Amino acid sequence: MATFFGSLILLVLVLQDSCYCFRSPLSVFKRYQESSRPVSNDCLGSTRPVKSPDSSDYTLDIRMPGVTPTESDTYLCKAYRLPVDDEAFVVDFRPHANMDTAHHMLLFGCNVPSSTDDYWDCGTGVCADKSSIMYAWARNAPPTKLPKGVGFRVGGESGSKYFVLQVHYGDVHAFTDKHKDCTGVTVKLTSEKQPMIAGIYLMMSVDTVIPPGEKAVNSDIACTYNRPTMHPFAYRVHTHHLGQVVSGYRIRHGKWTLIGRQSPQLPQAFYPVEHPLDVSPGDILATRCLFTGEGRTTKTYIGGTSNDEMCNLYIMYYMDAARASSYMTCVQTGDPDLFQHIPEIANIPIPVSPDMMMMMGHGHHHPDPKELEKKSVLQQPKREEEQVLDQDFHMEEVINWPGVNLKLGQVSGLALDANNNLVIFHRGDHIWDANSFDNTFVYQQRGIGPIEENTILVVNPNSSAILKSIGKNLFFLPHGLSMDKDGNYWVTDVALHQVFKLGPQGNELLTLGKAFQPGSDRKHFCQPTDVAVDPITGNFYVSDGYCNSRIVQFSPNGMFIMQWGEETSANMGPGQLQIPHSLTLAPEHSQICVADRENGRIQCFHSETGRFIKEIKHKEFGRELFAVSYADGLLYAVNGKSYFGDSPPVQGFVMNFSSGEIIDTFTPVRKSFNMPHDLVASEDGTVYVGDAHADTVWKFTPSERAEHRSVKKAGIAVEEITETEIIETRVKSRPKINNLVHTKEQHTQQQQQHPQQEQQTHTQQEQQTHTQQEQPQQKQNIVEHSGPGVSLVLIITLLIIPVVVLIAIAIFIRWRKVRMYGGEIEHKSESTSGGILGKLRGKGTGGLNLGTFFASHKGYSRKGFDRLSTEGSDQEKDEDSDSEEEYSAPPIPPPPVSSS
């Protein structure tokens, strides 16, 4: 053992010494942070590199430092020093911009920025030396992801030392509220060498003139390519208002091969090339921009303002690293004789509806939101990761989870940490009743103080052991819960009207909103319901809430970025929300989906721009959809119970994310869903559902992970279960309801009209629940097997029992013989208690009165009191199941009590 520990210590010392010798790409972060220029408080912290766990990758936020342009068509630049001296590679871009604020932005790489100011007017220049464009964005374009093994080279001896961000602010009216803008892009870098180096080939017109009123005007650009072979893999087009279509071609031996063709009035993203191709020395690259001069009364020239025009085609390519060039340009006007042979399709505009033209404007137009409801959904080229195959499985509940003894309040939120441990957010002994809020949504029960027990529990998903518990004396009415990649807890409290970020040990890291102050501006919330955190950028989203109808996006340090959503009108249009109740992110799709609860649907939006993408609505959802979760190409959801009229059953759903098609539905076996309030899904298909009425958490797994088969053992049919199937976390209840009081809620008028009917319904449900709990457990006909092996303890126990019985019989016979025939020894204690056997009899028959024990138990009370249908219209009361605490003895019906 000494040798082992000696070797271990030696290994640690060697590794430590080697760490000193190895210079990590992140080793200069401290120097970078010390030398960087001060940043506006509104964007503070967004520029710090964030290292990915267990990899050499890291991300860097490149943002404007909280600027407020005062003139239209302002170009501002901001330089960022590369946080490493060693060579690195940019492998991903994720924009943070909105076309209502920014006309477009470009990301340059260079070694000497034109200014050392915190930011400057780009009219003085972008870079003092040679610069290259790495990225371009406009018109709410989605993120760009490079192919595997391809990256932009930066740092080292040949790469750029600085990023320079250029943002064109088109319309200054976007800043009438004097807010500070932090438009920018997050770049993902890696120190791992990439075999292929990415670059941008820019084709740009510099002399095009568009006559007024002219229906069709062509702008042609062409250059002969004379560099090493390059492989285009993406393209981006860019014009202003008058551009109708931009087409790019490779010409080889007179044959025109399309690189890409797109309308510049659609999101100006980098789209994949039409067909794989290469460009070799001697080939010609040609581009045509088709404009119209209709609607103009004067000539339009190429220029930098929104009233000018541009004709740009960005070709993103990769080359072999040994001979790579990162940036090339072509500004030569095309030969008219050459362009006589251009394919006719380049002269045909791509139609875009007027509504879409208005929506995709450069920020100069602000259409009526009601008009935007009628817009059609764009059919963008489907990315590979969006093609999800239909799954063939059935979700089944997992039986006999040992978490039945967890003691919780109403389960309001669920999440999974990095180790797939279940995290539960519950309300302890607090409830949401008729006296909780006044008609202005101000909490009225501050006097009872915060919840005195830990409200956040981290639970082992298999053994149900509580691994961690935090959140004591912090919350009044917990609601939503989410985890980020660093193990922080993000929660909402509807009484406090606040959003919290708690560290792994429960310390408060960030608080948004004003305590007990409802509101609808950038500094206030009104009963916020949920939080979702982007694992790549760190931006987070808040669904707000019961008395607002919006999704709010913030930077990692809590700076307001944008919001979207509006109250639901009669036609229930896209982007209209009625209690956005739950959020989930699909990072690989750049989408955030919301459970639009009272509209009974799921709406998905672009996570960076808030642009509506799709709606998922099925008749099986019914009138309410409470929660949604995304994992591995699938959407999981649970609906709610409607108390009036016929409604679909309350159940869980599994859906294909791309198509929205329902693949499967699931419900518990031993107990029905009452109000499934939240759910969370893992990558392996495990799903947890928390019910706010039953104070219960269920676990479900796909059927292939819980295989059933019937076998015969010794002639007896036995159902063998190869894996545990159902997990039900039943919890000790607080004093329950005897009289249910229904409250007036702003979202559900029908519930206000039928309070007596609903009270009768609730009472019947409580009686049914109580009856189910009193049924003997032995009625379950499931035989459990722990596995193919037999426990050693069980074998020993089975061998000892017959020996003990024989010894007891022998003692009994000996005792009877002494009593009948006399004996020399008298056992005085037996005359009163019957010895040990007598003591056992007494304990079994009268030693413990369970009824008396229940009545005198410190935590047990049967005093009746009224509770409200909680969370406004979500009917979130406690069902009247008088005691859910588990005992080893069979449950005994409690004595009758009055309802007073």
Side-chain angles (χ1 to χ4, degrees):
M1 182 62 70
T3 303
F4 170 75
F5 282 110
S7 300
L8 182 60
I9 294 173
L10 179 61
L11 178 61
V12 171
L13 292 176
V14 171
L15 290 176
Q16 183 179 13
D17 184 66
S18 66
C19 288
Y20 289 130
C21 299
F22 174 74
R23 187 179 188 187
S24 167
L26 302 181
S27 62
V28 293
F29 276 2
K30 184 175 181 181
R31 175 194 57 75
Y32 164 75
Q33 293 171 357
E34 291 173 352
S35 63
S36 60
R37 296 183 293 275
V39 182
S40 168
N41 289 335
D42 290 327
C43 300
L44 189 61
S46 62
T47 62
R48 296 180 179 178
V50 179
K51 189 177 187 304
S52 301
D54 303 325
S55 77
S56 60
D57 299 348
Y58 57 98
T59 59
L60 180 66
D61 253 356
I62 301 174
R63 304 275 193 123
M64 279 294 155
V67 300
T68 305
T70 58
E71 296 181 1
S72 295
D73 291 317
T74 296
Y75 284 77
L76 296 181
C77 288
K78 164 72 177 177
Y80 282 80
R81 178 71 164 84
L82 189 70
V84 295
D85 289 333
D86 298 329
E87 187 177 63
F89 301 87
V90 178
V91 295
D92 198 7
F93 302 91
R94 187 168 288 270
H96 309 282
N98 188 283
M99 58 184 292
D100 290 335
T101 301
H103 180 281
H104 72 263
M105 68 175 171
L106 298 173
L107 183 66
F108 296 84
C110 64
N111 289 317
V112 183
S114 290
S115 175
T116 57
D117 294 338
D118 188 26
Y119 65 94
W120 67 92
D121 188 325
C122 300
T124 61
V126 176
C127 294
D129 64 337
K130 181 180 178 181
S131 64
S132 61
I133 296 177
M134 293 186 181
Y135 179 71
W137 172 95
R139 293 183 176 271
N140 290 349
T144 296
K145 189 166 185 176
L146 305 183
K148 187 175 181 180
V150 176
F152 284 89
R153 181 163 48 200
V154 294
E157 296 181 358
S158 58
S160 301
K161 301 296 189 296
Y162 281 87
F163 294 109
V164 179
L165 175 68
Q166 180 195 80
V167 179
H168 174 199
Y169 295 99
D171 187 0
V172 74
H173 291 95
F175 292 89
T176 54
D177 59 355
K178 305 299 182 183
H179 75 273
K180 297 182 181 300
D181 180 67
C182 296
T183 291
V185 60
T186 294
V187 295
K188 182 178 180 181
L189 300 99
T190 181
S191 61
E192 182 179 350
K193 284 188 175 295
Q194 304 297 297
M196 298 293 176
I197 300 302
I200 296 288
Y201 190 105
L202 171 61
M203 305 190 71
M204 177 175 63
S205 173
V206 295
D207 57 5
T208 298
V209 178
I210 304 171
E214 194 77 22
K215 183 176 181 180
V217 179
N218 296 327
S219 175
D220 297 334
I221 313 155
C223 288
T224 300
Y225 184 76
N226 54 15
R227 298 288 186 89
T229 299
M230 70 174 183
H231 303 267
F233 63 89
Y235 70 97
R236 173 185 176 268
V237 303
H238 178 70
T239 71
H240 294 173
H241 294 295
L242 304 183
Q244 294 185 299
V245 63
V246 179
S247 306
Y249 293 87
R250 181 202 68 184
I251 306 174
R252 177 179 291 176
H253 306 306
K255 181 179 180 181
W256 293 64
T257 301
L258 182 65
I259 296 175
R261 173 178 177 268
Q262 186 59 277
S263 167
Q265 305 308 321
L266 298 178
Q268 294 184 3
F270 276 96
Y271 295 100
V273 297
E274 298 297 329
H275 304 284
L277 78 163
D278 62 71
V279 180
S280 301
D283 292 339
I284 297 175
L285 291 172
T287 295
R288 168 168 285 182
C289 297
L290 177 64
F291 294 100
T292 180
E294 293 180 333
R296 293 289 176 96
T297 57
T298 60
K299 292 181 179 181
T300 303
Y301 298 90
I302 296 296
T305 73
S306 297
N307 292 322
D308 296 323
E309 266 303 336
M310 287 186 174
C311 171
N312 295 358
L313 174 67
Y314 299 85
I315 301 174
M316 191 176 288
Y317 61 87
Y318 63 83
M319 305 173 70
D320 183 77
R323 299 182 294 171
S325 297
S326 60
Y327 183 59
M328 295 177 278
T329 60
C330 171
V331 295
Q332 181 177 330
T333 301
D335 185 348
D337 293 336
L338 175 68
F339 278 85
Q340 288 181 358
H341 305 286
I342 191 171
E344 185 60 30
I345 193 172
N347 301 316
I348 301 175
I350 294 179
V352 181
S353 69
D355 289 340
M356 190 60 66
M357 289 280 289
M358 181 177 293
M359 186 189 74
M360 291 299 170
H362 292 296
H364 299 280
H365 303 282
H366 299 280
D368 188 338
K370 292 183 179 180
E371 294 297 324
L372 296 182
E373 298 168 11
K374 303 176 183 179
K375 68 180 181 295
S376 60
V377 178
L378 283 176
Q379 298 297 322
Q380 298 296 344
K382 182 175 289 187
R383 301 186 303 178
E384 181 179 354
E385 59 266 29
E386 292 179 341
Q387 298 174 359
V388 181
L389 297 177
D390 291 341
Q391 306 294 323
D392 184 16
F393 62 84
H394 177 62
M395 299 296 294
E396 293 186 353
E397 192 183 358
V398 182
I399 296 177
N400 297 333
W401 189 32
V404 293
N405 291 321
L406 287 177
K407 299 177 181 180
L408 308 172
Q410 294 177 326
V411 179
S412 64
L414 298 176
L416 295 173
D417 67 12
N419 298 318
N420 270 338
N421 294 315
L422 175 64
V423 185
I424 303 173
F425 196 29
H426 72 107
R427 295 174 180 162
D429 60 352
H430 280 209
I431 59 171
W432 188 339
D433 61 23
N435 300 315
S436 293
F437 296 91
D438 63 14
N439 57 5
T440 63
F441 311 108
V442 176
Y443 188 58
Q444 300 295 298
Q445 297 177 340
R446 296 172 59 176
I448 65 176
I451 301 169
E452 296 180 355
E453 60 185 286
N454 286 314
T455 53
I456 299 176
L457 304 180
V458 181
V459 178
N460 184 294
N462 298 316
S463 68
S464 79
I466 296 179
L467 307 177
K468 183 191 299 184
S469 56
I470 61 174
K472 180 186 299 184
N473 295 318
L474 287 179
F475 306 111
F476 286 78
L477 284 179
H479 201 278
L481 167 69
S482 183
M483 297 287 298
D484 65 22
K485 62 183 180 181
D486 298 319
N488 300 310
Y489 305 89
W490 296 77
V491 297
T492 69
D493 188 306
V494 291
L496 290 168
H497 304 288
Q498 286 182 306
V499 176
F500 299 88
K501 176 186 178 182
L502 305 181
Q505 303 307 318
N507 51 311
E508 292 186 41
L509 302 179
L510 180 67
T511 302
L512 295 180
K514 306 296 183 181
F516 303 110
Q517 295 182 19
S520 57
D521 58 22
R522 296 180 179 184
K523 301 294 184 181
H524 294 81
F525 302 104
C526 193
Q527 297 177 349
T529 55
D530 202 8
V531 185
V533 185
D534 191 314
I536 299 175
T537 67
N539 292 340
F540 62 95
Y541 306 80
V542 178
S543 50
D544 181 40
Y546 279 91
C547 32
N548 287 327
S549 299
R550 61 177 180 170
I551 309 299
V552 192
Q553 182 185 10
F554 297 90
S555 69
N557 63 322
M559 183 194 70
F560 176 89
I561 296 178
M562 63 176 296
Q563 70 177 42
W564 69 87
E566 59 181 289
E567 292 184 6
T568 300
S569 61
N571 61 353
M572 199 170 71
Q576 295 184 339
L577 303 166
Q578 188 170 358
I579 308 186
H581 197 257
S582 172
L583 295 174
T584 189
L585 276 163
E588 61 266 40
H589 300 278
S590 298
Q591 293 185 33
I592 182 168
C593 297
V594 55
D596 186 7
R597 202 189 76 178
E598 297 301 302
N599 287 330
R601 62 180 177 175
I602 299 169
Q603 293 195 70
C604 296
F605 305 88
H606 192 284
S607 58
E608 294 297 335
T609 66
R611 176 175 59 86
F612 173 79
I613 294 179
K614 63 184 176 183
E615 171 193 276
I616 300 176
K617 186 175 178 64
H618 298 283
K619 63 179 182 181
E620 290 85 352
F621 289 172
R623 296 173 54 185
E624 295 184 343
L625 190 82
F626 270 73
V628 62
S629 181
Y630 172 84
D632 196 26
L634 297 175
L635 271 181
Y636 302 82
V638 286
N639 64 343
K641 181 183 298 184
S642 176
Y643 291 94
F644 304 101
D646 295 334
S647 63
V650 181
Q651 57 189 335
F653 302 88
V654 185
M655 290 161 284
N656 182 298
F657 179 80
S658 297
S659 67
E661 177 188 0
I662 295 177
I663 299 172
D664 188 31
T665 60
F666 57 94
T667 56
V669 175
R670 294 187 297 171
K671 190 176 181 181
S672 298
F673 281 147
N674 199 331
M675 177 176 284
H677 191 263
D678 197 14
L679 86 164
V680 63
S682 66
E683 295 295 329
D684 66 358
T686 301
V687 177
Y688 299 90
V689 179
D691 195 301
H693 280 188
D695 300 349
T696 301
V697 177
W698 287 275
K699 181 180 181 181
F700 300 84
T701 57
S703 57
E704 54 260 36
R705 295 184 58 221
E707 181 184 357
H708 293 257
R709 64 180 184 271
S710 295
V711 299
K712 283 193 174 183
K713 296 184 178 180
I716 302 175
V718 177
E719 183 183 23
E720 189 171 79
I721 303 175
T722 59
E723 289 191 18
T724 307
E725 292 180 37
I726 300 180
I727 290 181
E728 177 177 317
T729 304
R730 297 180 56 209
V731 297
K732 178 180 177 180
S733 64
R734 303 174 306 284
K736 298 295 178 177
I737 314 169
N738 289 320
N739 296 320
L740 298 175
V741 177
H742 196 73
T743 184
K744 183 172 75 174
E745 158 58 24
Q746 70 273 22
H747 299 294
T748 313
Q749 297 179 356
Q750 290 183 344
Q751 295 175 359
Q752 298 172 358
Q753 298 172 1
H754 305 282
Q756 295 180 354
Q757 178 182 350
E758 183 173 10
Q759 181 173 346
Q760 294 174 358
T761 304
H762 293 340
T763 304
Q764 294 173 359
Q765 293 171 351
E766 293 159 9
Q767 294 173 352
Q768 294 174 359
T769 302
H770 184 66
T771 303
Q772 292 174 358
Q773 292 177 344
E774 293 177 350
Q775 292 177 353
Q777 190 173 359
Q778 53 265 36
K779 288 185 179 181
Q780 300 178 12
N781 58 356
I782 298 178
V783 179
E784 301 176 27
H785 282 261
S786 60
V790 182
S791 171
L792 179 62
V793 176
L794 179 60
I795 295 175
I796 295 175
T797 303
L798 293 175
L799 292 175
I800 290 176
I801 289 176
V803 177
V804 174
V805 172
L806 290 175
I807 294 174
I809 293 173
I811 294 174
F812 180 79
I813 294 173
R814 175 65 177 169
W815 175 75
R816 291 290 296 172
K817 186 179 296 184
V818 170
R819 290 291 302 270
M820 294 178 63
Y821 300 106
E824 298 177 355
I825 302 175
E826 292 184 359
H827 302 280
K828 295 181 180 180
S829 61
E830 294 178 4
S831 62
T832 57
S833 64
I836 297 175
L837 189 61
K839 292 179 182 178
L840 291 174
R841 288 197 195 99
K843 190 170 184 177
T845 57
L848 175 63
N849 187 311
L850 288 179
T852 303
F853 173 77
F854 287 158
S856 62
H857 194 267
K858 182 178 180 180
Y860 184 84
S861 171
R862 305 192 60 79
K863 182 179 180 180
F865 62 94
D866 293 338
R867 288 189 181 176
L868 154 84
S869 303
T870 66
E871 303 204 15
S873 64
D874 74 349
Q875 315 298 328
E876 215 165 309
K877 64 184 188 321
D878 273 349
E879 288 297 329
D880 189 18
S881 36
D882 290 325
S883 179
E884 294 186 5
E885 183 174 0
E886 297 295 327
Y887 295 91
S888 58
I892 296 177
V897 294
S898 65
S899 59
S900 60

